[in-house]
Every structure is written in C-alpha cells, then in structure tokens.
Amino acid sequence: MDVNKTYKGVALQEVLTLLQQHENTSKVIAGGTDLIIQLRECKVTPQVLIDVSSLEEIKGIEIIENRVSIGAATTFTQLVNSPFLNNGLEGLKEAAKSVGSPQIRNIATVGGNICNASPAADIIPPLLVLDSELYISDINKSRTISLEKFLIDKGQVDLKTNELLCHIQFNNIKNNQGLGFSKLGLRKSLAIARISVAVWVEVEENTYKQVRIATGACSKLGVREREVEALLLGKPVEEKTMQLGAEALKTQLEKRLAGRKGMEYKREAIQGVFKEALTKATYLSKT
Amino acid sequence: MKKRGIGIGSTFYGTGYGNGFPDVSKAIVELSQEGEIVLYVGATEVGQGAKTILTQMAAEVLGVSVEDITLVCEDTSITPDAGTAAASRQTYNTGNAIKRACENLRDEMIKIAVKQLGLNSSIGVKVENKKVYLNIFPDKKVSFKEIANLQGEETLKTEGIFTAQTTKMDEETGQGAPYWPYTFSVYGVEVEVDTETGLVEITKAVCAQDVGKAINPKLIEGQIDGGFAMGLGYAIFEDLGLHNGEIKHNRFTNYLIPTALDVPDLDKIIIEAPETTAPYGAKGIGEPVMIAVAPAILNAIYNAVGVRITEIPITPERLLKAIKDNGKNKLEEGKI
C-alpha cells in the first residue's frame, strides 16, 4: 500500500500524538535520504509519513552544564558548523563532514543516521566512544538508553513505533581528552565507509588513562571494541602502544569476519585507519 | 606509510574507422537568399565541441566570423551523412569535408564576382567580411547579399566529400598501414600510495597531447581534462564486480566514478605538429586523451611500492594484497 497521508510536525506534542494515533502504519521522516530509497524499493511500506524536519524542539546543539545535547533532527551541516563543539570533539565533526555530499549533509540528520542503523553509519562510531545517551519520548513518557544498547542489529534499533528519538547527549570533552575519527572510503566524497574508526582518549602524564574505541562497517552494526580498549589502558603514549592496538583490532576482525569476503582486506586496512584515529585523538588531548 | 611514485604512459592512436573501411564525411554549405551562410552537416555533438570547431573551420575558409554562420546539425532529413561521432574522427574527417564544401562555395562566389565585376581573372580576388573584392582595388566588390540576389530562387549550394585513405592490413601477418593519421600522447602522473590501506591518490598529473593544430585550445583542454578523469576512474575506481558473468556493481553506489575531489589539477601541454592531409592540420584527440592515463598510474604505483599491477581497476583491496604478497616473496627470496 502506498503512503496516503503525510504530516509536517511543528510541535513535539503534536508529533507524539500523531505517532500514537498511527502507531503501526507510520514512519518518521526527517531528511529522508535513507527512507525515500527504502520506500522506492518497497522495503518499508508505511501509509503515513510524519515529518519531523521542522521540529525546532529537537533541532540544534546545546551545552547543558557539562553535557552536550544534540537534537535528533540536527542536520550534518549544522553539526559541522556548530560553534558549540570545541576542538577536542573534532572527530565528531569530521565524521559528520564525511557523510555523503553537501546536498545530503544539508538535509540528512544525526537521529536519522542512528535510527537507520547501517553498519557503515558515519556518525555512530564517534557517538559510541562518547558514551552517548539517547532521549526517547512517546506521548506518555520519556526514557533514556545508551546508544550501544539502542543498536540491536543491522537496521534494527530499540525504538517502538509510537516513540521518537529526541536528543543525543554525552559528556563534554575535557582538556586532556580528545576524539579522533578516521574513515576509509573508496573515494574522497560520496563514499560509503569501508571501515571507520573513532577513538576517544584521556591522557595524563603521557599515559592513556581512559580509552574508548568504536568501529564502523566491521560488524553488523557499529560496535565498541572493549577488548582492545582494555589492552591500551594505562599504556604510555608511544608507537608501541599504537601498534599493539592495531594488531589487536586485526585479531578482532579476523575472528568476527571469519569466512567473509572482505575479511582479508579489512584486517589489514583497519590497522592504518585505527592508527590515524588514535594519532588524532592523542594529539587533540594534548592541545 | 605513504609512498610516492611517478609514472609515464604514452600512446599513439590511429583515428578514423581505418583498416580500409569506407570512412566518408559529407557536408553542404549554402548561400541563403538573404546572403547568409548556412552549413549542413550530420556530425553529432556529444559535448566534445564538434559544432564549435566545424563552424570555426567554415568561418575561416569564407572569411566571416562564427556568428555569421548558421549551423544545421544532427537532422537527418536535411543534413548529409558525416559518419559517426566515434573513432576520434569528426575533426579530421568531417573537418575536411566542411573545408572542401566551403572552398567550393568560395570558388563559386569568386566566379560570379569575376563575371559581375568584369575582371580578367580570379587572381587577387578575396572573400572577406561577407563580400568578394579585388585586393588591389577594394572598391571592386560584390556583397554576399548581391550574389544571393543574382541567384534568384535557386540558392547557391556546394558540397564537400572527404573519404579517408586507409588500407586493409594483411590478416595473416598484421602488417600494413591500417590507419591514418595518428595522434600521439604522453601522460606523467605522481601518486601517493597508502601502504596500510592500499588507497591510491593521484597527486599531480601532466599531459602532452599532439593535436596537429589546435583549432580551439580551450576545447582541447576540456577534452584532455575529461579524458584524464575518465582514465583515472578506469584505472583505480570503476569496478563492475563481475561474478560468474553477473555485474554486481550495478549502481553508482558501488560502481564508483571519480568526484571532483579525486581528480587533481592537470597540467596540459598542447603540441602542434600540423598534419598535411588534415583541415588546417588538425587531428582528433577524443579517445587518445584517456588511453595513456591508466598505464601512467600503474607505472607510478610500481615506482612507489615496487609492485607491477596488470589488472585494472586497481582497487585498494587488490593493491594491498599485491603489496603484501610482494613483501612475502622478497622475504622468501632473502632480499629483505
């Protein structure tokens, strides 16, 4: 059945009411850069579309005390241009900058990228290493869930049909912390990530006090690489540590992608991508 | 680690259908009742600039500006066949046909002017600025409009036919002279290879292209830029993903072509060595400008990382594997 009704929401309450009314027949649309393709290919068949792209309550970036809050309907262009994200968060901006083309970045949203849950989603690895929490509402209540738990499987997230992802929040970055991102695409723009890596570090006395690593396009969804993180914890900032992490990631991919066509390439290439992300994160933690 | 290398690729390419195949271009030029020049030609414009340079050639013969010529193109009901826009042949083959048609018209107009002005001969009679005049006594002149008026209802129309000269090569030995003329081209490129990911970036490039004579240098630069981008995509991006005959990369999401960011500035050197049988010496360059790009890139990769690639496109996956295999072989041979 074709879409026979579309709503353009202007207030959050109104949208949540509509979502409740059309609980099993509706889809939320923001930028539509993924959804329109899925509609054309009949992979989803909603009768009702609820447009949240003009919903001011869930757009834009705010700093609330030590937390950064990103509205789910914030576009990648807005994220890239935001004056509220300080230098340490460069990796987040870089990931946003690497999405598609300027046209796509102008309409595609952070929330859309998360809810579409592509294994190659560019914004997911940096948000994972920031320990992001998602604020989700329906007409009756609100809840929070970590991004990591929210992602269930490829294209599958913990979001009920009457719920809306409203905000993404994480702790603002401190002076001795840095977020680096590196993406391997097959060309310089309009490229889907073959591999992406985000690294978040806290450095004290030239030692990794905290390390968080997430990879994209290396699993059925964006994942935290906790085993590798544990390995680097407390290690000095030096070439050897970087090599240790790179080799550990290689082993992870060998296990995870065993028997798959891309494994042989990815286990090699991820090392270079990881080293770049770690180098950037470390640099940002010192400046 | 990122490693840089440079490579050169060169080619010579026979334009036209060649091998004795009949390669004929026709053109018609008309002096309309209003005294305007109308050019009829079946050459197809596919963005290469054929319409512009063919009009330029006609304007040159008839001593008028390109704005004074009305071009009727690509309408098979009224234009003669100029063959395909293929084999890099329109500049040379159809250019020759147009030049001949226009020379015939010019000669006809001179004949009429000689008679009309009561001159002894056609010596020193020039055609310029929409008039025919005696160079040593310019007041002796007759305008295109006046010549058209003299024609009455029946307009003055001339044809030009050009048949390229090629011979069939010996099928047994492959010997002979199957093409004429040839176009020569050299590319030099610098690449940066990431030895950890297999990514190749083309950082610098230069092309020296023999064109015979540059009828329109800007359009030639455009053709070289286009050929370079196409050759670059052919060398490192465009992978059909064939599996048992099935094209897996059947959309532009996975069949990648270069974006503006992937193509570096190309330094272009136009070499002019006029070809005697060509219109004003000009030869076609449409295909030649893309041929040597991939060999130059592969040579540069060899120079950078020491691996000889014999299959394109050289995707990061294939290159990284080749680099690793090369390292293993050297290790086994005890070279490193």
Side-chain angles (χ1 to χ4, degrees):
Chain A
M1 172 161 289
D2 290 340
V3 172
N4 54 34
K5 187 90 186 159
T6 59
Y7 295 98
K8 189 166 181 68
V10 288
L12 185 58
Q13 277 307 309
E14 176 203 8
V15 164
L16 296 177
T17 309
L18 285 167
L19 274 172
Q20 190 70 43
Q21 276 170 11
H22 303 282
E23 201 182 338
N24 295 313
T25 53
S26 68
K27 268 275 179 191
V28 170
I29 183 168
T33 52
D34 287 314
L35 185 66
I36 296 292
I37 295 166
Q38 291 164 5
L39 283 171
R40 287 223 175 110
E41 293 177 347
C42 296
K43 285 182 180 160
V44 290
T45 52
Q47 290 163 36
V48 177
L49 287 183
I50 301 167
D51 179 4
V52 297
S53 63
S54 301
L55 217 52
E56 290 304 327
E57 291 147 282
I58 61 164
K59 281 170 80 85
I61 296 162
E62 271 183 295
I63 309 292
I64 305 162
E65 290 170 14
N66 70 334
R67 298 279 279 176
V68 178
S69 176
I70 300 175
T74 305
T75 66
F76 289 105
T77 299
Q78 287 171 325
L79 188 59
V80 170
N81 295 334
S82 174
F84 298 118
L85 300 179
N86 60 32
N87 288 342
L89 289 166
E90 190 56 38
L92 186 65
K93 285 193 178 187
E94 221 176 291
K97 241 185 258 178
S98 79
V99 173
S101 63
Q103 294 90 333
I104 290 172
R105 293 195 289 276
N106 283 343
I107 55 165
T109 63
V110 177
N113 203 225
I114 293 172
C115 292
N116 189 55
S118 157
D122 291 308
I123 209 69
I124 286 180
L127 289 177
L128 278 175
V129 296
L130 285 163
D131 270 345
S132 296
E133 286 206 304
L134 309 185
Y135 287 70
I136 293 165
S137 295
D138 65 31
I139 190 69
N140 299 316
K141 60 186 184 314
S142 293
R143 67 182 172 108
T144 61
I145 181 173
S146 74
L147 172 60
E148 199 179 3
K149 286 206 178 108
F150 183 70
L151 301 169
I152 298 170
D153 205 337
K154 181 179 175 180
Q156 213 188 321
V157 292
D158 180 9
L159 189 71
K160 294 184 193 74
T161 47
N162 65 338
E163 287 182 322
L164 184 70
L165 169 60
C166 296
H167 292 92
I168 301 109
Q169 285 196 12
F170 50 83
N171 283 341
N172 206 351
I173 205 133
K174 292 182 189 145
N175 279 338
N176 61 342
Q177 298 170 342
L179 169 59
F181 175 78
S182 177
K183 166 175 166 177
L184 177 80
L186 294 187
R187 64 179 166 196
K188 288 194 177 168
S189 96
L190 278 165
I192 295 168
R194 219 35 234 293
I195 298 173
S196 63
V197 178
V199 177
W200 179 98
V201 294
E202 183 178 302
V203 176
E204 244 173 58
E205 290 164 358
N206 213 41
T207 303
Y208 290 117
K209 275 279 167 214
Q210 289 192 71
V211 181
R212 298 184 207 139
I213 301 165
T215 55
C218 293
S219 171
K220 56 191 177 172
L221 37 85
V223 287
R224 280 283 291 276
E225 304 285 356
R226 294 190 192 276
E227 284 183 42
V228 186
E229 292 174 7
L231 211 55
L232 302 192
L233 210 60
K235 296 271 176 351
V237 176
E238 61 181 20
E239 176 72 28
K240 220 171 100 185
T241 306
M242 188 149 77
Q243 195 56 37
L244 186 72
E247 277 161 26
L249 271 174
K250 179 185 178 178
T251 312
Q252 287 295 322
L253 290 209
E254 276 171 356
K255 276 193 276 178
R256 200 180 300 149
L257 302 176
R260 297 194 42 181
K261 211 176 112 269
M263 185 274 272
E264 217 179 306
Y265 175 66
K266 286 191 176 180
R267 69 174 178 186
E268 299 298 339
I270 194 159
Q271 300 176 69
V273 184
F274 165 73
K275 285 178 191 171
E276 190 182 310
L278 178 64
T279 306
K280 284 178 185 171
T282 309
Y283 172 79
L284 290 170
S285 73
K286 292 174 170 178
T287 51
Chain B
M1 193 195 299
K2 290 193 173 172
K3 289 192 165 184
R4 286 197 172 193
I6 54 166
I8 290 172
S10 81
T11 178
F12 66 105
Y13 182 83
T15 63
Y17 299 148
N19 205 26
F21 192 81
D23 190 341
V24 184
S25 275
K26 292 180 187 172
I28 291 170
V29 63
E30 177 186 34
L31 182 66
S32 73
Q33 284 185 358
E34 293 74 34
E36 302 293 332
I37 305 291
V38 187
L39 183 61
Y40 299 89
V41 62
T44 307
E45 174 64 56
V46 290
Q48 81 278 43
K51 282 179 170 174
T52 307
I53 64 118
L54 296 176
T55 309
Q56 278 182 265
M57 289 188 194
E60 185 73 18
V61 178
L62 294 167
V64 296
S65 66
V66 287
E67 292 81 9
D68 292 327
I69 292 179
T70 304
L71 178 70
V72 181
C73 208
E74 301 147 344
D75 181 344
T76 52
S77 70
I78 47 170
T79 60
D81 188 5
T84 54
S88 305
R89 59 179 287 287
Q90 288 295 1
T91 301
Y92 176 78
N93 299 58
T94 305
N96 264 321
I98 282 174
K99 187 160 174 274
R100 287 180 178 190
C102 293
E103 283 166 354
N104 290 341
L105 181 70
R106 182 189 64 195
D107 293 349
E108 284 300 316
M109 289 196 292
I110 289 174
K111 249 188 241 170
I112 292 164
V114 166
K115 197 174 159 198
Q116 189 64 19
L117 298 168
L119 302 176
N120 292 330
S121 83
S122 61
I123 297 298
V125 176
K126 288 193 85 171
V127 177
E128 208 172 54
N129 297 328
K130 294 209 247 181
K131 55 184 186 283
V132 185
Y133 64 96
L134 185 57
N135 203 22
I136 55 167
F137 186 18
D139 280 356
K140 283 277 183 196
K141 65 177 185 220
V142 53
S143 70
F144 283 10
K145 179 83 174 88
E146 285 166 314
I147 294 173
N149 287 343
L150 290 168
Q151 296 304 303
E153 293 282 301
E154 193 72 32
T155 58
L156 196 58
K157 255 188 190 177
T158 56
E159 190 180 31
I161 302 176
F162 180 78
T163 304
Q165 184 69 278
T166 64
T167 58
K168 200 167 165 46
M169 64 180 178
D170 188 310
E171 283 179 7
E172 289 295 318
T173 64
Q175 296 292 301
Y179 285 97
W180 194 262
Y182 285 88
T183 298
F184 302 83
S185 175
V186 182
Y187 271 95
V189 300
E190 181 191 73
V191 301
E192 193 175 270
V193 180
D194 186 326
T195 57
E196 283 174 318
T197 60
L199 280 178
V200 174
E201 183 176 356
I202 319 299
T203 44
K204 266 187 205 168
V206 56
C207 173
Q209 179 65 48
D210 154 45
V211 301
K213 173 78 187 171
I215 300 294
N216 191 315
K218 274 282 169 227
L219 285 180
I220 285 174
E221 288 192 8
Q223 277 190 296
I224 298 176
D225 278 328
F228 174 63
M230 191 173 170
L232 189 157
Y234 173 68
I236 67 170
F237 288 130
E238 298 177 37
D239 185 5
L240 286 173
L242 276 179
H243 291 280
N244 299 322
E246 193 190 340
I247 294 174
K248 295 281 188 191
H249 296 170
N250 56 358
R251 46 172 75 188
F252 286 116
T253 313
N254 44 29
Y255 183 86
L256 300 180
I257 57 173
T259 68
L261 294 179
D262 301 294
V263 182
D265 265 351
L266 175 66
D267 196 3
K268 290 156 290 257
I269 302 166
I270 296 173
I271 311 276
E272 292 190 316
E275 155 61 32
T276 50
T277 64
Y280 301 104
K283 300 185 288 190
I285 63 156
E287 293 155 294
V289 291
M290 79 152 291
I291 297 172
V293 181
I297 291 173
L298 296 190
N299 283 339
I301 291 172
Y302 177 69
N303 186 236
V305 291
V307 292
R308 249 313 153 208
I309 302 297
T310 52
E311 184 190 356
I312 54 169
I314 179 64
T315 57
E317 203 152 345
R318 287 182 191 146
L319 182 56
L320 193 64
K321 187 169 187 314
I323 292 170
K324 295 272 167 207
D325 289 350
N326 186 49
K328 270 185 218 147
N329 290 342
K330 277 192 178 159
L331 208 63
E332 279 159 19
E333 288 164 21
K335 283 184 185 163
I336 48 172

